[in-house]
Amino acid sequence: MKIAMIAPIAWRTPPRHYGPWELVTSLLTEALVAKGVDVTLFATADSLTAAKLEAVVPAPYSEDPSVDAKVWEHRHLANVFEQAGEFDLIHNQADFPAHAFANLVDTPMVTTIHGFSSDRILPMYAPYQDRVHYVAISDADRHPALRYAATIHHGIPVGDFAFDPKGSDDLLFFGRMHPDKGAAEAIAVAEATGRRLSMYGIVQDAGYYEREVASRLSDRIVHPGAVGGADRIAALGGAAALLHLINFDEPFGLSVVEAMACGTPVIAMNRGSMPELIEDGVTGFLVGSLDEAIAAVARLGEIDRVACRRAVEARFSVERMADDYIALYERILAQPR
């Protein structure tokens, strides 16, 4: 089985810090290679992979301003589809632009939809659903106008996330500094409960950050910035809870699964995919308001950190994700062209 894996080109694959689509693409690619699948990763030239790397894009456009996003995205996709006949299947992780090429080749194609952002993108999805096999990353993110080949939850390399059996009394926020991600709500919970709060993530909305976050930072509420490597693992495991008080229907939450892998329960708004990731009262708490989130902090002693880890091992490993995709590939390739 020869797979062409199309990565986005906003960030390196895997990303240095931020880049959730590139991260999932990398995790899946490496897991497939480990299982013996012949994968060619189409990504930026600085990408790192055990697969064959095919790159015409010199650098990620979000890191190098000399790289024009529109120009190089088209060049990137042209490079994939000009070689389509060499592959058994094309797996697109880079949203809808690849669909423009779908009817020009015979190679079966899968698109993982990393969050259906709005109905405005339907014209590049609905007309191609007889040609492209769509994968949702949660049942909550399925659009009623589309047919899906599968729902496949993301997986993580659980062994890379050290289990912390104790944590601390401190609270944690991981995510973009943007109204959607609930940074201000996390601060409100920390202030109401008198707990320390460490916040990690890039600033995506500078105005929001200045108004709602920066003005409220102190010696007890800190924002060290983005974090990676061992420091990220230590932060995820060394907390009483991750506060994930989102203001949108999030299609998936990698930080939610990563925190639970380290033993840290999650207090999340009951929106989007959160009920698919968190078992209320077992691996965290699903809440409907700020008051409920504040009350949940007092109940954290009810959560067994070992249960959090075991839930991720059972349901959200990268091996399970790879097996699910391999099963999908085999099912598609068994169909008559």
Side-chain angles (χ1 to χ4, degrees):
M1 188 189 304
K2 294 186 67 175
I3 304 296
M5 186 72 69
I6 308 176
I9 60 166
W11 308 97
R12 187 189 76 175
T13 301
R16 292 175 176 84
H17 295 292
Y18 180 76
W21 295 17
E22 289 83 355
L23 175 58
V24 171
T25 303
S26 176
L27 291 172
L28 177 58
T29 297
E30 304 314 302
L32 290 173
V33 171
K35 289 179 177 289
V37 180
D38 185 347
V39 183
T40 298
L41 175 67
F42 289 80
T44 58
D46 57 347
S47 295
L48 306 173
T49 183
K52 301 182 186 76
L53 177 62
E54 177 70 31
V56 293
V57 184
Y61 64 76
S62 291
E63 299 179 44
D64 186 339
S66 71
V67 176
D68 184 289
K70 182 178 288 188
V71 170
W72 284 101
E73 186 167 75
H74 283 81
R75 182 70 183 88
H76 175 55
L77 293 174
N79 187 42
V80 177
F81 286 91
E82 285 165 3
Q83 302 179 57
E86 299 178 21
F87 299 98
D88 296 312
L89 186 142
I90 296 168
H91 189 159
N92 169 42
Q93 304 272 2
D95 212 357
F96 57 78
H99 298 166
F101 296 81
N103 288 325
L104 305 180
V105 300
D106 294 327
T107 309
M109 187 169 163
V110 169
T111 290
T112 295
I113 304 176
H114 290 269
F116 201 91
S117 56
S118 82
D119 285 351
R120 293 174 64 186
I121 66 175
L122 264 179
M124 281 305 293
Y125 276 94
Y128 299 94
Q129 58 188 331
D130 291 332
R131 174 69 184 87
V132 183
H133 302 269
Y134 296 143
V135 173
I137 60 173
S138 65
D139 286 335
D141 198 54
R142 285 182 173 233
H143 192 282
L146 298 182
R147 293 187 300 278
Y148 291 82
T151 293
I152 300 179
H153 289 139
H154 293 333
I156 63 170
V158 184
D160 291 353
F161 292 83
F163 175 66
D164 187 329
K166 294 183 179 179
S168 71
D169 290 332
D170 298 349
L171 300 174
L172 177 67
F173 171 87
F174 247 104
R176 298 172 283 120
M177 294 296 166
H178 184 280
D180 282 351
K181 300 295 279 188
E185 286 77 5
I187 292 173
V189 170
E191 291 172 339
T193 59
R195 302 256 188 152
R196 289 181 173 273
L197 173 66
S198 294
M199 310 182 77
Y200 296 94
I202 64 168
V203 177
Q204 191 174 59
D205 184 325
Y208 169 80
Y209 179 73
E210 290 301 320
R211 291 190 312 273
E212 302 290 346
V213 178
S215 61
R216 299 161 74 180
L217 297 178
S218 66
D219 60 340
R220 297 183 63 80
I221 299 175
V222 298
H223 176 222
V227 66
D231 291 339
R232 177 182 175 85
I233 306 302
L236 286 165
L242 173 73
L243 298 179
H244 201 69
L245 306 176
I246 50 175
N247 292 306
F248 75 120
D249 293 328
E250 189 165 28
F252 199 85
L254 276 173
S255 62
V256 170
V257 174
E258 291 169 345
M260 293 192 302
C262 295
T264 299
V266 182
I267 299 173
M269 285 293 180
N270 190 5
R271 296 190 61 168
S273 63
M274 293 304 107
E276 296 175 49
L277 309 186
I278 300 162
E279 187 176 355
D280 189 47
V282 177
T283 57
F285 296 103
L286 297 169
V287 300
S289 68
L290 210 52
D291 286 343
E292 289 183 15
I294 292 166
V297 172
R299 298 181 57 198
L300 288 170
E302 301 173 20
I303 303 296
D304 180 359
R305 293 177 69 92
V306 172
C308 296
R309 172 72 171 201
R310 287 178 177 164
V312 176
E313 290 173 337
R315 299 182 57 222
F316 299 110
S317 73
V318 71
E319 291 82 10
R320 188 274 311 152
M321 174 172 66
D323 286 342
D324 286 353
Y325 274 108
I326 290 171
L328 174 62
Y329 299 159
E330 290 175 342
R331 193 164 77 245
I332 291 169
L333 294 175
Q335 298 173 2
R337 292 286 180 93

